[in-house]
Amino acid sequence: SGLCYEVDASLDGAKDTGTLVISCSLSRKNLPLALRLIGGELYRLAERQIVEREFLRHQRMILSQLELDEDSV
């Protein structure tokens, strides 16, 4: 059997704020391990250096999403 039944993450970013939500469906007994693994991945993402190409790709995605969000207001 696996650690989680389902894992989901969403990012709601604005120009100066944002929310990152990570959720998972799991058995209570798996919670400590899941938290350790998710925390480790977040730490790894925060600490590692990204290459410029990757940064620019994500920047374009976020800016496009901001434009779409502004158009829907």
Side-chain angles (χ1 to χ4, degrees), residues 1-14:
S1 69
L3 177 63
C4 298
Y5 305 111
E6 178 183 3
V7 177
D8 185 51
S10 63
L11 176 63
D12 183 16

Side-chain angles (χ1 to χ4, degrees), residues 1 23 27 34 40 46 52 60 63 68:
S1 69
S23 62
S27 297
E52 185 176 2
R60 282 192 302 273
L63 291 174
L68 288 173

Side-chain angles (χ1 to χ4, degrees), residues 20 38-50 54:
L20 170 64
I38 292 168
E41 284 301 305
L42 290 173
Y43 179 81
R44 185 183 67 81
L45 288 170
E47 290 297 311
R48 78 179 179 101
Q49 302 245 341
I50 62 170
E54 185 179 0

Side-chain angles (χ1 to χ4, degrees), residues 12-39:
D12 183 16
K15 288 184 180 178
D16 59 349
T17 63
T19 304
L20 170 64
V21 176
I22 301 170
S23 62
C24 54
S25 301
L26 49 81
S27 297
R28 182 176 290 274
K29 67 181 174 112
N30 291 337
L31 181 60
L33 177 57
L35 289 174
R36 228 176 15 256
L37 292 171
I38 292 168

